[in-house]
Amino acid sequence: MAPSQSDPTDEAPGLRVVYGCRVNFDAYARTAVDLVNAPMEGIDDLRAVFTSDNVWMRDEVTERDVAAFRRAQKRLRDVFLLGSAGRDTEAVNEINTLLKDHPVQPRISGHDASDWHMHVTSRGASASSEYLAAAVWGLAVWLTTHGSARFGVCADDRCGNVYLDTSSNNCRRFCSERCATRSHVAAHRARKRATLAGV
């Protein structure tokens, strides 16, 4: 991770270089969430996973990458299921296996001091290798920082999306306000029907 500024003793007098990049591990972890929650029927679904931060990958993936992403989806979902069930050791074991299968080889890239940024794989690695290594690395850092209990699976039975619980007291149960509202409305209607039926 690059420092915010250089050591003044390393620079000419009066010259101070300010670097513009920090490694955002939470953003890497969110790429894992985005991947698990994405449909993955074909190449168009895969390309839709790549957002503004990694849009350059969109044109580099091929049909062959779809199968690799599907396999990674399942294994990453398993991490969320294990973590949310309190099965920490198994979640850690799965992440360690994923780290082995999608190794991180960090390198700094860019053209000058205003453009330095991190890549998590070696030069020449495929877009899918870079994305998956970043996602797994982000989840590994998230787990060691926040604990696996912060991995969540939406409590709405019709959803199943995963999320990272950033609530102050680790009380989140749904992936979104939409799912929370839908679930609460359904529960309210069920109670009302039970009352009317005299149960």
Side-chain angles (χ1 to χ4, degrees), residues 145-160:
T145 304
H146 304 289
S148 67
R150 293 285 182 164
F151 293 153
V153 179
C154 189
D156 186 337
D157 294 335
R158 293 162 290 184
C159 177

Side-chain angles (χ1 to χ4, degrees), residues 130-171:
E130 178 136 359
Y131 188 97
L132 294 174
V136 173
W137 188 32
L139 277 192
V141 173
W142 180 274
L143 185 144
T144 56
T145 304
H146 304 289
S148 67
R150 293 285 182 164
F151 293 153
V153 179
C154 189
D156 186 337
D157 294 335
R158 293 162 290 184
C159 177
N161 279 351
V162 302
Y163 60 88
L164 298 169
D165 188 348
T166 57
S167 64
S168 59
N169 56 358
N170 196 22
C171 65

Side-chain angles (χ1 to χ4, degrees), residues 45-58:
D45 288 333
L46 175 53
R47 287 183 175 139
V49 167
F50 304 117
T51 60
S52 58
D53 290 338
N54 47 35
V55 70
W56 64 271
M57 298 178 179
R58 190 174 294 162

Side-chain angles (χ1 to χ4, degrees), residues 52-70:
S52 58
D53 290 338
N54 47 35
V55 70
W56 64 271
M57 298 178 179
R58 190 174 294 162
D59 295 329
E60 297 196 15
V61 292
T62 65
E63 289 285 351
R64 191 176 65 192
D65 292 310
V66 176
F69 272 77
R70 280 190 192 132

Side-chain angles (χ1 to χ4, degrees), residues 109-125:
S109 185
H111 303 291
D112 55 46
S114 65
D115 186 37
W116 298 134
H117 58 278
M118 294 294 296
H119 281 272
V120 298
T121 53
S122 60
R123 185 178 302 279

Side-chain angles (χ1 to χ4, degrees), residues 12 64 78 121 135 178-179 189 191 195:
R64 191 176 65 192
D78 288 345
T121 53
R178 180 172 176 264
C179 280
R189 288 177 178 162
R191 287 191 301 271
T195 301

Side-chain angles (χ1 to χ4, degrees), residues 80-91:
F80 280 87
L81 291 168
L82 292 166
S84 63
R87 296 162 63 185
D88 293 3
T89 302
E90 292 167 86

